[in-house]
Amino acid sequence: MTKHTENLHQASFRDPSGYMFHDGEQLRRRIHPIYFPQYRALTDSGFYSTLIKKGLLIPHRETQAVEDGIVITPETIPFITNPYEWSFSMYKHAALHTLKLQKYALSKGFILKDASAYNVTFHKGKPIFIDTLSFDFYEENTPWRAYKQFITHFFGPLVLAKYYGTEVFKMMQTHIDGIPVSLIASLLPGKSKLSSTVFTNIHLLAKMERKHSEDYKAETKLASLSKKSQENILESLFDYIKKLDVKEASEWGDYYTKTNYDAIAFEAKKKLIREWVLPLRPKRLIDVGGNDGTFARTITDTVSQVIVTDIDSNAVDHNYKQVQQNKEENMLPFVCDVLQPAPGIGFNNTERSSLLERLTDFQPDVTMALALIHHITLSGNVPFEKSAEFFAKFSKNLIIEFPTREDSWVESLLVRKREFINHFDFYNESNFEAGYAQYFQLEKKEAVAGTKRILYLFKAK
């Protein structure tokens, strides 16, 4: 079998069982002979097919099988999101999804050998497990091999978020192998020890870790744990996470109740967006700073893939809950700060692609940036030509809203500048158009009825 090391997926070097590779635009997975017994058992027993039917594992088909390797082709996922880009409910559902997999695997004589949060992403409105080779045979009386990984990738971050809010998820950017247990324990308040689940799975685990930290020769014997005891641990973690909630106020969580739009202006903007988008016949669209997806939903009936990002985790969470409630398969929300887009991380900064790399690969036909430019420019001090350069990296068509200086949000942002207010005299319609003209051609321009805002349609040069 031909080896595809030159097209190796950058995140795929860690697994001895196989690797992902690019075959043109198709992503495939090669399985090494070392994993053949597990793969065949998982396939022949119907384990894989059951997980796929239940929507727990990404579907795949076997496309090649020879003596030195098997190739499987998984269903294509248009856009991969990472743990540090999830809202609270998304993170929580990803954790529960991972526990469901381990519970089911255990019941069938297998285990989940990896419990990395990076093995889960969101596809067709739900979490999905994407590492097909993460399963192994269960050995009687052995503890769950991936238990600590689950704590550092899922349980710990969720418990921290309970006390400190979802900003803690961004720690996963710098802790690609999970937030260390000792760090989680040190950050949690003393009262967290009153929960037996938190005490056992974080504080006690941290204590045990410290005790064996100098076991360089791995002389500590592995603990024996019955299957029933393991099932009890899984059940206890599942029940705790299921009840977890977070309460954090945010500026944008109920943004649309604070805007200076009246009902007529709101509908006028929706109508204008739909009128401009439909003739472009996009297959893929991204709404940057799209809050809870209100405006993106005006065109989800005609666009097969819609991404909505926002800096506010509450807004993203609200959007995600609507996706779940409405069973929307073509809407993907995630958290994104335009002023600090997610970088490439991991070894060589290539294991997890940067946001810009993923957006470039996604190739949206239409980018929307509504009620965003004044925040980029006035809050972030970003010149117009710089934000135009950002959008030009991945946008074919750009629908962008420009709130004029008379807009109440703009007035509020300018007042906050205090003695530096005069520095922002450049914030006006003509300078905006000049900045964007460096990268885009103006196609349409129209004032949004009943507002102090102008909608633009630009085409990339």
Side-chain angles (χ1 to χ4, degrees), residues 436-457:
Y436 274 68
Q438 294 184 38
Y439 297 91
F440 294 96
Q441 179 181 313
L442 178 59
E443 298 286 299
K444 291 180 182 178
K445 172 184 176 181
E446 192 168 329
V448 180
T451 73
K452 302 293 183 183
R453 299 183 172 195
I454 303 165
L455 209 59
Y456 289 85
L457 171 59

Side-chain angles (χ1 to χ4, degrees), residues 410-458:
V410 174
E411 288 176 341
S412 172
L413 289 169
L414 284 170
V415 165
R416 294 181 214 178
K417 293 299 177 182
R418 301 182 186 276
E419 67 270 24
F420 297 106
I421 191 168
N422 292 334
H423 171 71
F424 294 92
D425 287 347
F426 72 87
Y427 186 88
N428 59 52
E429 195 178 327
S430 58
N431 285 337
F432 168 73
E433 291 174 12
Y436 274 68
Q438 294 184 38
Y439 297 91
F440 294 96
Q441 179 181 313
L442 178 59
E443 298 286 299
K444 291 180 182 178
K445 172 184 176 181
E446 192 168 329
V448 180
T451 73
K452 302 293 183 183
R453 299 183 172 195
I454 303 165
L455 209 59
Y456 289 85
L457 171 59
F458 289 113

Side-chain angles (χ1 to χ4, degrees), residues 61-294:
R61 56 193 169 85
E62 192 175 299
T63 44
Q64 191 179 9
V66 290
E67 195 176 306
D68 67 338
I70 296 169
V71 172
I72 60 173
T73 302
E75 181 176 300
T76 300
I77 298 175
F79 193 88
I80 298 287
T81 56
N82 295 314
Y84 45 84
E85 297 167 323
W86 297 340
S87 71
F88 185 79
S89 294
M90 292 171 81
Y91 214 115
K92 176 176 165 176
H93 288 174
L96 294 174
H97 190 93
T98 304
L99 288 175
K100 282 178 195 171
L101 280 170
Q102 171 60 5
K103 283 163 77 175
Y104 180 74
L106 202 56
S107 74
K108 298 298 178 184
F110 298 101
I111 58 153
L112 193 58
K113 64 176 181 176
D114 298 304
S116 167
Y118 292 97
N119 284 344
V120 181
T121 196
F122 287 79
H123 181 50
K124 295 184 178 177
K126 295 181 288 189
I128 191 81
F129 195 80
I130 56 175
D131 191 351
T132 314
L133 310 190
S134 271
F135 301 94
D136 208 341
F137 297 115
Y138 168 68
E139 293 176 36
E140 203 64 42
N141 292 322
T142 57
W144 182 23
R145 198 188 312 170
Y147 163 73
K148 183 182 164 187
Q149 193 176 36
F150 180 82
I151 300 302
T152 63
H153 279 249
F154 285 112
F155 188 65
L158 282 166
V159 175
L160 284 172
K162 173 189 174 182
Y163 290 101
Y164 305 116
T166 53
E167 283 291 304
V168 300
F169 295 156
K170 290 180 183 174
M171 291 172 72
M172 290 296 288
Q173 245 182 50
T174 49
H175 294 285
I176 195 170
D177 292 320
I179 305 171
V181 179
S182 57
L183 179 58
I184 296 167
S186 69
L187 290 172
L188 287 174
K191 63 181 177 182
S192 66
K193 293 178 181 177
L194 297 174
S195 160
S196 59
T197 310
V198 174
F199 179 76
T200 307
N201 295 287
I202 293 178
H203 295 288
L204 198 57
L205 182 61
K207 187 179 178 182
M208 295 297 291
E209 196 178 63
R210 283 194 298 273
K211 184 180 175 184
H212 300 294
S213 63
E214 295 186 9
D215 183 16
Y216 303 120
K217 295 180 181 178
E219 292 172 340
T220 305
K221 289 183 181 178
L222 287 174
S224 176
L225 191 72
S226 70
K227 185 184 276 193
K228 181 63 182 168
S229 297
Q230 193 176 145
E231 285 169 345
N232 290 342
I233 292 169
L234 293 172
E235 208 59 52
S236 135
L237 285 166
F238 193 92
D239 289 345
Y240 185 92
I241 292 170
K242 196 174 180 182
K243 292 172 190 166
L244 259 183
D245 202 2
V246 65
K247 289 175 184 172
E248 54 181 347
S250 63
E251 190 172 359
W252 312 111
D254 59 347
Y255 176 76
Y256 294 125
T257 65
K258 301 177 189 173
T259 61
N260 49 7
Y261 284 89
D262 58 26
I264 295 169
F266 207 68
E267 291 307 312
K269 183 174 166 181
K270 281 185 178 180
K271 185 171 180 284
L272 199 53
I273 287 165
R274 191 169 172 85
E275 284 174 1
W276 286 10
V277 169
L278 292 185
L280 298 171
R281 296 184 177 178
K283 292 180 180 177
R284 295 182 172 189
L285 178 145
I286 179 167
D287 187 359
V288 184
N291 201 264
D292 63 2
T294 294

Side-chain angles (χ1 to χ4, degrees), residues 303-346:
V303 185
S304 55
Q305 297 292 334
V306 177
I307 293 176
V308 179
T309 79
D310 202 88
I311 190 173
D312 187 89
S313 187
N314 279 346
V316 173
D317 211 56
H318 183 53
N319 190 0
Y320 174 67
K321 285 172 180 172
Q322 287 182 78
V323 167
Q324 298 267 297
Q325 194 177 329
N326 304 335
K327 296 184 177 173
E328 296 166 329
E329 294 194 355
N330 63 335
M331 168 80 83
L332 174 66
F334 69 93
V335 179
C336 159
D337 180 356
V338 175
L339 295 174
Q340 193 176 318
I345 63 169

